[in-house]
Amino acid sequence: GQQVMQIPQYQHVQEGEDFTTYCNSSTTLSNIQWYKQRPGGHPVFLIQLVKSGEVKKQKRLTFQFGEAKKNSSLHITATQTTDVGTYFCAGPRTGANNLFFGTGTRLTVIP
Amino acid sequence: DVKVTQSSRYLVKRTGEKVFLECVQDMDHENMFWYRQDPGLGLRLIYFSYDVKMKEKGDIPEGYSVSREKKERFSLILESASTNQTSMYLCASSLSQTGRTEAFFGQGTRLTVV
C-alpha cells in the first residue's frame, strides 16, 4: 500500500543549529503539503508544493519538492525554541481524494 | 477565522462503553475527516465524508463508525471502546476533495480507555 516515510523520526538540535527532515513517498505525488504540530497542539498547514523541483521559502524555512515528485524536504536554518514540534508531510492518497500523512519528525531544540 | 471544534479535549472511558466524539466546522466545507494519531505512526485516517449522510472508510475503520447528519458536524463513534483505542483523535475539514487544499484540524481529543 501507499507509504510516506519521514526521516528522522526524532531530532534534537542545539539552538542555532540547522535542521532538515526528509519525506519519501512510495508513489509519485501531484503535490505535497507540510504541517507543523506544536507540543499539545494540532497540525497546522505550512505550505504546499506542486511543481517538480519547486523550492519555496518562509523566513528560515526552506521547502523543496523533488524532481521525480516522490520526495520532499524541509530545512530550518538557525533553529529557535519556537521551532519545537512535529513536522508532517502529506500528499494526495492514491485513488482517493484526501490526504495521506507521513510518519512525522519530532524536533526538539535545546536552548 | 476558520474553526474546527472538537467537543472534548480529554476523555476517560471504560472498556465496553459506547463513545461519541463530536466535531463541528464553521467553514461550510464539504469534506470532513477523522484521524487517529499515535507515536511513530503519524496520522492514520479512520473515516471521511464528502457530503451529508455520505461516509467512506479510511485505513483503520475497524471498531469505529461515523455519522454526518448535517454538513457542519461529523461524529466518530466507538461502538464498544477497547484499551487499544486509547489515542489522540483529530478531526479535520477541507474545501476540496482533490487533496490539493489544506486541511484544518480541531484541537484534538485525547481518549483514554481503562
Side-chain angles (χ1 to χ4, degrees), chain B residues 27-79:
Chain B
M27 296 166 281
D28 203 34
H29 284 170
E30 302 285 343
N31 313 294
M32 296 189 75
F33 311 89
W34 276 104
Y35 287 91
R36 172 176 170 161
Q37 183 176 16
D38 300 287
L41 297 177
L43 279 68
R44 293 179 294 166
L45 184 64
I46 305 171
Y47 267 98
F48 58 99
S49 170
Y50 292 146
D51 201 353
V52 174
K53 296 194 186 295
M54 176 272 177
K55 60 186 178 185
E56 292 280 350
K57 293 180 180 179
D59 299 314
I60 50 166
E62 295 79 20
Y64 304 94
S65 62
V66 290
S67 171
R68 192 154 181 213
E69 296 295 319
K70 292 185 178 182
K71 188 176 185 180
E72 66 270 19
R73 187 179 297 268
F74 192 34
S75 303
L76 179 69
I77 303 154
L78 286 66
E79 297 292 341

Side-chain angles (χ1 to χ4, degrees), chain A residues 41-54:
Chain A
H42 58 275
V44 175
F45 175 81
L46 293 176
I47 206 162
Q48 176 168 274
L49 306 170
V50 178
K51 298 176 185 174
S52 169
E54 187 170 13

Side-chain angles (χ1 to χ4, degrees), chain A residues 2-110:
Chain A
Q2 183 176 10
Q3 290 188 36
V4 179
M5 300 298 294
Q6 283 183 251
I7 53 171
Q9 188 174 350
Y10 302 96
Q11 184 80 60
H12 292 72
V13 298
Q14 208 72 37
E15 188 173 16
E17 290 182 342
D18 292 357
F19 159 77
T20 304
T21 174
Y22 299 91
C23 176
N24 298 296
S25 171
S26 58
T27 59
T28 301
L29 302 171
S30 59
N31 60 282
I32 195 157
Q33 298 179 4
W34 284 90
Y35 291 77
K36 177 183 178 181
Q37 182 177 25
R38 293 181 186 273
H42 58 275
V44 175
F45 175 81
L46 293 176
I47 206 162
Q48 176 168 274
L49 306 170
V50 178
K51 298 176 185 174
S52 169
E54 187 170 13
V55 178
K56 285 189 176 180
K57 292 193 174 186
Q58 287 181 350
K59 297 183 181 178
R60 294 178 295 103
L61 277 61
T62 301
F63 303 84
Q64 188 165 4
F65 201 7
E67 294 290 339
K69 301 184 82 173
K70 292 183 73 173
N71 53 70
S72 181
S73 64
L74 158 59
H75 179 82
I76 303 178
T77 304
T79 54
Q80 300 176 359
T81 53
T82 53
D83 296 324
V84 164
T86 301
Y87 293 85
F88 292 98
C89 61
R93 185 180 298 267
T94 302
N97 291 322
N98 54 67
L99 287 172
F100 192 98
F101 280 82
T103 46
T105 296
R106 181 190 276 185
L107 172 65
T108 301
V109 179
I110 305 160

Side-chain angles (χ1 to χ4, degrees), chain B residues 36 38 64 82-89 111-114:
Chain B
R36 172 176 170 161
D38 300 287
Y64 304 94
S82 63
T83 53
N84 63 13
Q85 292 178 309
T86 292
S87 186
M88 170 69 85
Y89 290 89
L111 172 66
T112 302
V113 182
V114 297

